[in-house]
Every structure is written in C-alpha cells, then in structure tokens.
Amino acid sequence: MDFSTKTLDAKNAVTAVKTGALVVGIYENRKLSKAAGALDKLGAISAALKSGDISGKPGSTLLLRGVTGIAAERIVLLGLGADEEISDKSFAAASGALVRTLATLGCDDAALALPLDAIKGRDLAWAIRNVVLAGRDADYRSDVLKSKKDPAPTGVKKIAFLVPVTAIAAAKTALAEAVALANGMALTKDLGNLPGNVCTPTYLANTAKKLGKQFKLGVEVLDRKQLEALKMGSFLSVTNGSDEPPKFIVIKHLGGKAKDAPVVLVGKGITFDTGGISLKPGLNMDEMKYDMCGAATVLGTFRTIAELDLKLNVIGVIPTCENMPSGRATKPGDIVTSMSGQTIEVLNTDAEGRLILCDALTYVERFKPAAVVDIATLTGACIVALGHHNSGLFTREDAAHDQLANELLAAGRETGDTAWRMPIQDVYQEQLKSNFADIANIGGQPAGSVTAACFLERFTRKYTWAHLDIAGTASRSGANKGATGRPVPLVTTFLMNKAAAK
C-alpha cells in the first residue's frame, strides 16, 4: 500500500473528499465520530447504527454505498470502541480490520477521516504508524522462491490520511517515519524468511554492501584471515564444522557530530544452527534459519535510520557464520580462547550464539561507544520465561545501565514492540564456573536466559551495555510461520529518541 496525507479543513470538507472509499469512525452506544456526523446529513449512518448492522465494537465494519450529498463512492464505518477516548488496543484492532476490509473493495484508493489524535496515551504519529504497519504487514509476501507466486493483494492500493491543516506538518513527518520503519521491518522479514542455503554469511555481507551503496553507509567485511589476526578464537570455533566462510560485518551510519560517541548495535548472525556436535532434535530444526534474526534486525534498523537520515552516529557489528557438525567441528569439552583473552570451556556446542557475540562485544571497545545493545535469538529459556510477547532485556544494575534499560523499555512501550527487564546478578555467575577454563559456555538449565546474559556481561565491562534476547519475538511458528520484523520498531525508536534528545 502507498500512503499519503491530505489537508481536511473548511475548504476541503469531509463531504467533498473524492475517493473510492471514505473511512470514518463510530463508537459503541450508537455514537458518531465528528467526521461521521458530518456525513450523516440525511441520516444514512444513524439508520445503520439503529438497525444494528454495526455495533461500533473495535474492528467492526460496515460498507455503505450510494450515500447522497457526499463526493466519495463508498463510506466504510469503522468501529473504534466504547467511547470517544479510544484505547490503543481498540485502535490497533480497528487498524487490522480496516486493512482487511479495504483489501476486499473494488476501488484503488481510500481516505481515512479518523480521530487519530483521540487515542488515550498516544499521539497522531502513533496512530499513523499503527495503520501503516498494519497495511504493510497485510501486503507482505514471502513467496520470492515460489515458482508460482501467491495471489497479489487486491483492493485499495492508496490510502490518504485526512488531517487538519494545523497537524499536516506533524502528519507528514510521522508518515515518513512510519514508511521508513515498515521498509526496515520488511528487509528484516525477508532476510529471516530466506532459507539457510540462500541467506548465508556471504549473503548477509552482500546485503550490507548493497545498503552501503544505496544510502552511502560505511561498510567493512572481515574474512577468516582477519578474524584469525584479531584472535577471535571463540567466534571461529563455531565455524569449524561449516564449509561456509564466516563474515564479520561492520556498518556505519555517521549522522551525528564527528566527536559524538556512537551507539553500537551487535546482531547475532547464525544463518543456520544445527547445534553442531550437540545436535538439535530434527523436529522443527528448519526454524533454525531464524537464528540470524539479530543480524537481520541490525540491517533492518540501518535501512530505516539511513532512509530517515537520522542525526546520530550508529555502528552495527554482525558476526555471522553457520553452526554445523563435521569432523572439524568443535567438540563438547574443547577449550577456546576469546579475543579478550578469556578461555572458554565449550560444554555444549549448541550454546554457540554467545561464543560469536563475546568476540564481537570485545571488538566494539575500539569505538568507545556511548552504549552497546546486542540483539540475539539467544535462548529457548527466554521463550519459557516470557513467551512470545516480550523480548528479554538484560543489563547491569547501576545508574547508567538503568537509564539505558529505561530508554529501551520506553521505546518498546511506545511502539508496542515490548521488552521485559530480567536480572543480571553475580550469584548467577557461579553457574558458569569451569574447572578447566576461565568460564563455561553454559550454566545448566536453571535460569538459562539469565546465565547466557551473564556470560555476555563478562565481555562488556568497559562500556554501558544491554542485551535483547529475541528468541520468542523474532519469528512465529505454526500456520503463520515467518519472521515478525521485531525488534526493529523498538530499536529504531530507541535510536530516534536518542537523536531527538541531542
């Protein structure tokens, strides 16, 4: 869907709007929104409410044709809920129903005369973003590798937001941000949904290079010899069993002042995870193609902030490889030396994400970052703890880290791409003790997501850092299997808020 904004004022009244479908809101208890009331000159809308043809409950819809005294070909009544103080949950339900309804119509364009500024605790930008993301999600297709493509979306192709002249500037800005976010999420979904034989470490590196050319970003890709020279023994230990060459991607958006310390995003890029010698069960192993969704999130975020020309220095770091079993593969009990010099006893080769991230977290020290956020489908234990609603957020407990955590949590609440803070405490570090190395790569079943974060924390003590475990939120299983594009909204909004605060 294509989106635009149009001014709605006395000269361009809602009754004079020429469009294939004009969408107005109604409430429960037979209440009309202001725009619906303006269209109800001859009582057609009131009659529909009195007849019980539409309830006004969130997401309920009714199509009216041939309404006299208006320029629009059709009116779509959209239920918004119980009263004129619309909840964000009610509006989100209405947005989803709206795009489904518009897809069934026989016209190309629609105009929305909805009370976008009347949502409790939200603003105009939130409402516009909600509709745009709902529309783009409905349009999204993952059929790039099908010989016979899925049916193309039908119905409305163009949607205009009708807003007062006093709000047009804010609406245009909000729309540009929403479209950029949708573009970033689409890239993240595309990368996540591609199979492991297509989306290899080299494919991710080439994607970063394409973004670099398109948006004039700095991109550097390190290969095995360079990683060996950097002594990234932990990262390289994960690649031993694979024929695919590892890549270490560095991507830079330097939109801030030259002296400003950058925010660094680190994304886990395991393009396929068999578990290595600690082989995973075969059931649902195909979903291990999603083990690079942290990397996909970083690239999707850069797609968004580059399109917006965000005034902030942001650096992305992506360690990417496969985790495969072979005669060369790392074995349980092997001891490897990380870039930091710390030795690691690999008790389970399926706990590989932390092994590639720890070297990346050491590497980013050279950037003297303002903050570092790593994003990873790290543990199944996080799904057990939080399900598929919240990403797990882990930071140390002090003033600087509390501030970082609060900024990330606020960005999640702002977008609906929520996270929940989990503990990192020294008592959990006891589970990572090894008799033979400085640290073990697993700490047993209890608090598995916490001990994984505690492992990473040991490599981040020279800067402010947070870890997002997205194992439960980056993809869906079952009939709706696919990448979600999360947590691109959370991360991009976090960065946009930091840029706005400067």
Side-chain angles (χ1 to χ4, degrees):
M1 291 181 177
D2 292 327
F3 297 89
S4 63
T5 58
K6 290 184 179 180
T7 302
L8 189 64
D9 54 23
K11 294 181 181 179
N12 184 27
V14 67
T15 54
V17 175
K18 293 183 179 180
T19 183
L22 181 59
V23 182
V24 295
I26 60 169
Y27 306 103
E28 292 180 332
N29 302 323
R30 300 177 180 177
K31 292 182 180 180
L32 305 182
S33 67
K34 183 178 179 181
L39 296 176
D40 196 36
K41 291 183 177 181
L42 299 181
I45 297 176
S46 296
L49 292 177
K50 289 178 182 178
S51 71
D53 289 341
I54 183 169
S55 65
K57 291 182 178 180
S60 58
T61 60
L62 180 66
L63 179 67
L64 301 179
R65 298 177 184 272
V67 178
T68 59
I70 67 170
E73 297 173 13
R74 306 165 182 79
I75 293 176
V76 176
L77 303 182
L78 179 64
L80 298 175
D83 53 44
E84 296 184 21
E85 190 176 50
I86 309 163
S87 72
D88 53 3
K89 183 179 179 181
S90 293
F91 190 82
S95 296
L98 172 62
V99 297
R100 290 192 295 272
T101 297
L102 294 181
T104 67
L105 301 184
C107 56
D108 290 332
D109 69 300
L112 311 186
L114 296 171
L116 301 173
D117 58 352
I119 302 164
K120 185 178 181 180
R122 303 294 189 179
D123 58 11
L124 175 74
W126 181 90
I128 288 176
R129 181 175 63 228
N130 195 272
V131 174
V132 170
L133 294 186
R136 288 287 297 274
D137 188 59
D139 274 354
Y140 181 79
R141 296 293 180 272
S142 55
D143 60 358
V144 65
L145 297 181
K146 290 186 178 182
S147 58
K148 185 177 181 181
K149 305 302 182 188
D150 295 336
T154 58
V156 171
K157 305 287 192 302
K158 300 177 181 179
I159 295 178
F161 293 94
L162 303 178
V163 296
V165 66
T166 54
I168 194 67
K172 286 182 181 295
T173 298
L175 181 56
E177 292 174 350
V179 170
L181 175 56
N183 290 339
M185 292 180 71
L187 174 60
T188 296
K189 290 179 186 179
D190 286 344
L191 293 172
N193 288 330
L194 286 172
N197 63 321
V198 174
C199 188
T200 62
T202 299
Y203 188 96
L204 288 179
N206 289 338
T207 300
K209 291 175 182 178
K210 289 178 181 177
L211 284 177
K213 288 181 180 179
Q214 184 177 0
F215 294 104
K216 297 181 180 179
L217 305 173
V219 178
E220 182 182 12
V221 178
L222 307 184
D223 294 312
R224 181 181 294 275
K225 287 186 178 180
Q226 293 161 294
L227 302 178
E228 290 171 347
L230 288 166
K231 298 183 179 180
M232 291 192 180
S234 184
F235 174 26
L236 290 171
S237 73
V238 179
T239 76
N240 286 345
S242 175
D243 292 334
E244 287 288 341
K247 302 291 180 183
F248 192 90
I249 304 163
V250 181
I251 184 168
K252 298 180 180 180
H253 169 86
L254 303 180
K257 297 178 181 178
K259 65 178 181 179
D260 290 346
V263 176
V264 178
L265 307 177
V266 179
K268 174 186 171 184
I270 299 292
T271 56
F272 196 82
D273 181 20
T274 66
I277 297 301
S278 304
L279 192 66
K280 292 177 179 290
L283 183 64
N284 298 326
M285 193 195 284
D286 65 289
E287 295 185 18
M288 289 301 100
K289 68 180 184 178
Y290 297 119
D291 213 15
M292 39 61 66
C293 281
T297 295
V298 172
L299 293 173
T301 297
F302 270 78
R303 173 69 174 79
T304 296
I305 66 173
E307 182 173 338
L308 294 174
D309 193 21
L310 191 69
K311 304 305 180 184
L312 190 72
N313 293 334
V314 187
I315 298 175
V317 173
I318 299 171
T320 175
C321 65
E322 288 183 336
N323 184 24
M324 299 288 285
S326 79
R328 304 185 309 274
T330 298
K331 305 174 294 298
D334 286 357
I335 294 176
V336 299
T337 303
S338 67
M339 184 181 179
S340 70
Q342 296 178 73
T343 57
I344 303 164
E345 184 181 13
V346 182
L347 295 178
N348 189 320
T349 64
D350 194 23
E352 85 298 327
R354 64 202 73 181
L355 295 177
I356 71 171
L357 288 171
C358 70
D359 280 347
L361 292 170
T362 299
Y363 181 88
V364 304
E365 292 174 4
R366 65 189 58 205
F367 301 124
K368 296 180 172 54
V372 176
V373 180
D374 80 71
I375 307 147
T377 50
L378 203 65
T379 65
C382 195
I383 304 176
V384 174
L386 297 176
H388 300 282
H389 303 291
N390 289 292
S391 298
L393 170 63
F394 300 80
T395 60
R396 288 186 283 272
E397 295 179 0
D398 57 43
H401 287 86
D402 288 347
Q403 180 179 342
L404 176 58
N406 289 336
E407 290 173 359
L408 289 164
L409 292 171
R413 289 191 295 269
E414 186 175 339
T415 59
D417 183 10
T418 53
W420 192 267
R421 191 171 182 181
M422 302 280 280
I424 287 187
Q425 297 168 338
D426 287 342
V427 65
Y428 292 104
Q429 295 281 5
E430 294 295 312
Q431 292 175 229
L432 295 171
K433 284 187 173 180
S434 166
N435 290 342
F436 310 106
D438 297 327
I439 184 174
N441 79 321
I442 58 169
Q445 189 175 39
S449 63
V450 177
T451 55
C454 286
F455 178 96
L456 297 178
E457 188 272 339
R458 294 193 180 207
F459 300 85
T460 66
R461 294 176 180 174
K462 294 184 179 180
Y463 48 75
T464 305
W465 157 84
H467 161 59
L468 286 172
D469 192 329
I470 61 170
T473 55
S475 62
R476 294 182 296 262
S477 299
N480 294 318
K481 183 186 294 185
T484 63
R486 295 180 66 184
V488 174
L490 184 162
V491 178
T492 54
T493 302
F494 161 71
L495 296 173
M496 290 166 64
N497 290 345
K498 291 192 80 66
K502 287 192 173 291

